[in-house]
Amino acid sequence: MKTWDLIRTANRNLFRNKLRTTLTVLAIFVGSFTLTMTNGVGDGMRDYVESQIKNIEGDRVAMVRKKIETPNGPSSGAAVEYKEGSDESDETAIDPNTVLLTQPQIESVVRDIPGIIGVTPRYSIRGEHISVEGSKKYKVELGMLSDGLVAKTETGKSIGGPNQIVLQIGLARALDEKIENLVGKTATVGYKIPDGSIKTVDLTVTGVMTKGFMTNNNSFVSSDVAKRMFEDQSVQAGPNRFLGFTIQMDSSDPTKIEAIKKRLDEKGFEAETVADTQQRTYDAIGIFKTGMNLFAMVALLAASFGIINTLVIAVLERTKEIGLQKALGMGRGKIFAIFSLESVLIGFWGAFLGAVGAIVTGLVANQIFVKFYARSFEGFSLFAFKPISITAIMLLVCGIAFVAGVMPALRASQLNPIESLRYE
Amino acid sequence: MLEAQSLSKTYKSDGVDYEALKDVDLSVRRGECIAIVGKSGSGKSTLMHLLACLDAPTNGSVLIDGRDTSAFSERAKNSLRNEKFGFVFQQFFLNGRDTVFENVVLPMRIRGASNAEIKTETNAALTAVGLDDKINKKAKDLSGGEKQRVCIARALVGKPEVIFADEPTGNLDSNTGAAVEELLFDLNHEQGITLVVVTHDADLAGRCDRVIEMKDGRIVADLLKEVTAQ
Ligand SMILES: Nc1ncnc2c1ncn2[C@@H]1O[C@H](COP(=O)(O)OP(=O)(O)OP(=O)(O)O)[C@@H](O)[C@H]1O
Ligand SMILES: [Mg+2]
């Protein structure tokens, strides 16, 4: 038999029992629909998060902090033993009981690690208000952009030198409808100092940042500005202590970065690059997506038993027909092929209709979502359907259907023609 | 062209052996019309199935044109049945929901024949059985006699060398039975197709060149027509 004849025969056999075929296809439809939807949510989320976490770049920078020693996990509530610090007179000796570090301690940590060319302590700063060349004053949240990090901008550039600020987009829009106009202007930033008064500093606006998770609602200043503000705002007695620091490295080569991370690890510090942070987010989404898809796979698994059932019944029903075909010289392979094709066709139609149904539903849901939540989640589509994912799902479902069809198809192909013709 | 050498067949069912065919020797010549008669359960269908390579003998061998079929591969036996043999079974085995054309065309499709070939062959076969006007009718809408003629057309369609017919007139009334009979003999006379017919019908058997009588799995009589005519 020619391939085309096999497909036609399989198709005709399916049409002979429309109700049964429809019900089986329906079960696959449900599985495929669910899988397309869960996968679409995962992809939608990934796309959104991707656009959000890509707004800070920097492949030669890592954030470093001291590892926290909690032997029973962070929230176990178990008591932690107090460790006697070593020589108090040595200012570079690290206190084992706190994660806070002084500038000399930070410098001593990185001093003997090759490949680290700079270090910036994490200056935490609070801004009060901002105005641009006599405009109204707005509240401002400030952050420091460590040297080596680049903020993605809607207009203008990221920070590239001292006394600069890059603005958060919402704030920028309030300051000037046409955000391009802000670039190059002077912003006056006010911040509170410990005596309660407000000090101001004039900074050059280099650009307006793209929205994203990594930056919260911060506007960013260069590290020199952050250092000054931090020192003005500090209320601590004795040397300033920091939660962590940023290192600048001489290379973006992953193996070199790994080596630096390993050295830091040996000293009790953990370092995370921008890529690591992004990867962590992708991993979390990946786990979420896998979890959701597993539910859909359960539905598909159930549906595949439907296929097995349908085909086993079909083999029984068509025993005489199979006997005749074999008597007239049809080989086992062809009989197997006909039944396999039937199950793959059921899988295909279920997968196809399920995908189409899911895409239509998803696009409608996206429209509704945009109407209600567009402002808080700019650029977010609830569902994203990618041709490659849809193709993969269709292939997967057809594959599952094929596997489900193997047992009945084998049974059919192994029937003895004489026995089958005698079958009542 | 067909030769059985000390054929025997033992069926095993529920652990009990049943010897349906015992040491049968038979030789069928090309163009011959041979009837196999005998009581129910005497092994007629069993013999026919073995001759047609539908089943494997327990002992002995079947030779086709002098070649031992026990050495044939599954594939070789399949194409042998598909290309050289035609079958008319005791039951119709038609697909009621398909058209007459689709039913008749089955052996050609299995063979993988071209569409043009399929068309001419099928038309010729249906014309031969006088059903060319019913070609697009559903098989279930035919009368019993018409159904059996469709079966004969299906047996005929690939230009076989031998037609095996198991009780071809078994479930037809005498008039339609006679018409089907006529058809088979015409094929034998005009196209030289070898005919192996299993039958209960004495009249049908009597019109064959040669009658073989079976009893308890053995051939008890082998009569050539010249002999019966004397
Ligand atoms: N698959 C089988 N399993 C067990 N016994 C079988 C099988 N096929 C046939 N037999 C037995 O073998 C014997 C011969 O069967 P066969 O079908 O050849 O008889 P027959 O001469 O064609 O009879 P009928 O005229 O009723 O068709 C019978 O007794 C039957 O019960
Ligand atoms: Mg019989």
Side-chain angles (χ1 to χ4, degrees):
Chain A
M1 242 186 183
K2 292 182 195 154
T3 313
W4 177 240
D5 279 332
L6 291 173
I7 295 171
R8 257 184 19 155
T9 310
N11 219 1
R12 205 169 48 214
N13 287 338
L14 288 177
F15 265 92
R16 279 210 192 123
N17 211 317
K18 288 194 193 73
L19 181 63
R20 198 166 67 204
T21 304
T22 311
L23 289 173
T24 318
V25 168
L26 211 61
I28 295 288
F29 168 88
V30 171
S32 161
F33 179 88
T34 321
L35 187 56
T36 313
M37 288 302 249
T38 53
N39 207 65
V41 168
D43 281 349
M45 224 154 103
R46 200 195 144 99
D47 281 0
Y48 179 59
V49 168
E50 193 156 30
S51 73
Q52 294 287 309
I53 63 182
K54 284 257 167 93
N55 69 339
I56 290 273
E57 285 167 350
D59 55 5
R60 297 177 179 204
V61 178
M63 263 64 82
V64 185
R65 61 166 190 232
K66 216 173 134 204
K67 281 191 278 191
I68 306 167
E69 288 175 47
T70 42
N72 302 313
S75 55
S76 69
V80 180
E81 194 192 326
Y82 184 85
K83 298 185 187 79
E84 291 302 331
S86 47
D87 190 1
E88 280 292 320
S89 63
D90 180 2
E91 62 167 7
T92 61
I94 291 167
D95 181 355
N97 298 300
T98 174
V99 295
L100 295 174
L101 300 162
T102 64
Q103 178 99 29
Q105 284 171 345
I106 292 172
E107 276 160 11
S108 80
V109 167
V110 299
R111 190 172 302 136
D112 62 336
I113 302 178
I116 297 179
I117 53 171
V119 38
T120 321
R122 191 184 292 177
Y123 299 110
S124 43
I125 50 176
R126 286 175 312 282
E128 205 63 29
H129 58 68
I130 189 170
S131 62
V132 170
E133 298 185 2
S135 75
K136 243 200 292 190
K137 283 180 188 164
Y138 291 92
K139 284 178 85 168
V140 65
E141 287 174 48
L142 285 183
M144 174 187 75
L145 196 66
S146 299
D147 301 343
L149 287 178
V150 177
K152 260 205 190 156
T153 52
E154 292 288 325
T155 180
K157 306 194 302 272
S158 182
I159 292 169
N163 290 320
Q164 291 182 342
I165 184 165
V166 59
L167 298 173
Q168 186 259 339
I169 189 158
L171 175 66
R173 284 198 182 121
L175 286 164
D176 196 324
E177 290 280 326
K178 290 207 181 91
I179 55 174
E180 317 74 82
N181 294 344
L182 292 166
V183 178
K185 286 195 174 160
T186 305
T188 308
V189 174
Y191 58 99
K192 237 182 207 152
I193 55 175
D195 69 8
S197 64
I198 288 180
K199 208 171 161 176
T200 61
V201 58
D202 283 348
L203 305 170
T204 311
V205 176
T206 59
V208 175
M209 278 188 299
T210 312
K211 220 174 153 161
F213 287 162
M214 299 269 274
T215 53
N216 299 320
N217 284 323
N218 287 346
S219 296
F220 285 92
V221 295
S222 46
S223 58
D224 62 308
V225 180
K227 182 170 191 266
R228 270 193 334 257
M229 287 172 68
F230 178 82
E231 280 161 1
D232 286 343
Q233 290 185 323
S234 176
V235 290
Q236 282 186 49
N240 287 322
R241 283 140 82 86
F242 307 96
L243 267 167
F245 57 94
T246 314
I247 50 169
Q248 288 85 46
M249 296 170 283
D250 62 357
S251 161
S252 58
D253 177 358
T255 56
K256 286 193 177 153
I257 292 181
E258 252 347 281
I260 291 172
K261 275 158 82 174
K262 191 155 171 269
R263 287 297 300 275
L264 284 165
D265 184 73
E266 284 158 11
K267 292 177 180 234
F269 289 83
E270 53 191 1
E272 190 173 276
T273 61
V274 175
D276 290 337
T277 312
Q278 290 174 348
Q279 192 54 49
R280 210 151 35 86
T281 315
Y282 289 150
D283 288 349
I285 294 171
I287 291 168
F288 168 79
K289 212 170 120 176
T290 311
M292 298 272 282
N293 286 351
L294 277 179
F295 281 106
M297 291 301 288
V298 171
L300 272 177
L301 188 71
S304 68
F305 281 101
I307 293 190
I308 298 178
N309 186 45
T310 297
L311 288 186
V312 166
I313 294 175
V315 173
L316 288 179
E317 259 181 12
R318 302 209 314 254
T319 297
K320 284 193 176 196
E321 191 182 324
I322 298 163
L324 178 76
Q325 287 169 333
K326 290 194 121 185
L328 298 186
M330 197 187 282
R332 287 161 194 251
K334 298 288 160 74
I335 305 270
F336 182 88
I338 287 179
F339 277 89
S340 286
L341 276 169
E342 284 178 37
S343 77
V344 170
L345 278 174
I346 289 176
F348 172 79
W349 284 114
F352 177 75
L353 295 174
V356 169
I359 290 171
V360 170
T361 313
L363 294 181
V364 170
N366 280 351
Q367 292 300 312
I368 295 170
F369 185 83
V370 162
K371 229 178 226 158
F372 290 102
Y373 299 104
R375 231 161 275 150
S376 29
F377 293 96
E378 204 176 305
F380 180 34
S381 331
L382 197 50
F383 297 97
F385 301 106
K386 304 185 171 177
I388 181 138
S389 303
I390 302 292
T391 315
I393 289 171
M394 302 252 301
L395 286 177
L396 175 76
V397 175
C398 289
I400 290 175
F402 173 78
V403 172
V406 165
M407 188 270 277
L410 268 181
R411 268 193 168 194
S413 72
Q414 282 162 358
L415 284 175
N416 173 307
I418 297 299
E419 297 290 326
S420 310
L421 289 171
R422 289 165 62 97
Y423 181 83
E424 296 299 330
Chain B
M1 79 163 306
L2 290 176
E3 205 176 330
Q5 291 180 342
S6 54
L7 268 193
S8 57
K9 177 78 189 175
T10 307
Y11 289 113
K12 279 191 176 64
S13 63
D14 303 328
V16 183
D17 286 4
Y18 180 84
E19 217 181 345
L21 218 55
K22 299 163 192 162
D23 203 21
V24 169
D25 288 290
L26 179 68
S27 176
V28 181
R29 282 180 291 276
R30 191 176 291 274
E32 208 171 23
C33 170
I34 181 165
I36 304 174
V37 299
K39 278 209 232 88
S40 181
S42 56
K44 308 183 292 293
S45 296
T46 305
L47 176 60
M48 188 193 102
H49 291 155
L50 291 180
L51 286 174
C53 290
L54 275 169
D55 209 354
T58 314
N59 271 309
S61 46
V62 173
L63 276 62
I64 295 193
D65 294 332
R67 289 180 305 154
D68 189 343
T69 56
S70 60
F72 284 18
S73 65
E74 175 101 16
R75 184 184 286 263
K77 283 190 202 168
N78 281 340
S79 53
L80 176 74
R81 287 202 303 277
N82 182 258
E83 284 163 29
K84 298 212 164 163
F85 297 165
F87 293 94
V88 179
F89 295 101
Q90 210 160 347
Q91 298 171 59
F92 299 131
F93 296 125
L94 292 176
N95 236 320
R97 276 173 286 201
D98 278 346
T99 59
V100 167
F101 178 84
E102 277 307 323
N103 274 288
V104 171
V105 94
L106 186 61
M108 301 291 287
R109 285 235 194 278
I110 291 172
R111 190 181 302 183
S114 72
N115 279 336
E117 200 183 340
I118 283 179
K119 229 183 179 133
T120 50
E121 279 289 313
T122 310
N123 280 327
L126 280 168
T127 311
V129 300
L131 282 177
D132 41 339
D133 53 332
K134 301 255 160 74
I135 189 161
N136 288 320
K137 261 194 131 167
K138 293 266 188 254
K140 64 174 193 286
D141 298 333
L142 300 177
S143 74
E146 285 169 336
K147 280 181 185 162
Q148 193 63 308
R149 274 147 68 197
V150 172
C151 291
I152 292 172
R154 183 174 62 196
L156 185 66
V157 75
K159 292 206 178 78
E161 293 174 16
V162 188
I163 289 183
F164 293 94
D166 198 346
E167 314 265 12
T169 57
N171 42 22
L172 300 178
D173 64 63
S174 54
N175 278 340
T176 33
V180 166
E181 226 170 80
E182 213 57 54
L183 205 53
L184 288 172
F185 287 124
D186 281 353
L187 291 174
N188 177 241
H189 291 143
E190 285 161 23
Q191 302 189 24
I193 297 176
T194 311
L195 216 53
V196 179
V197 188
V198 171
T199 185
H200 276 116
D201 186 345
D203 177 49
L204 174 56
R207 294 186 55 188
C208 289
D209 304 337
R210 188 174 165 197
V211 179
I212 292 199
E213 194 183 336
M214 296 200 59
K215 195 180 172 193
D216 296 335
R218 290 182 205 279
I219 294 181
V220 292
D222 185 347
L223 306 167
L224 278 174
K225 196 173 182 181
E226 289 79 16
V227 181
T228 43
Q230 278 175 359

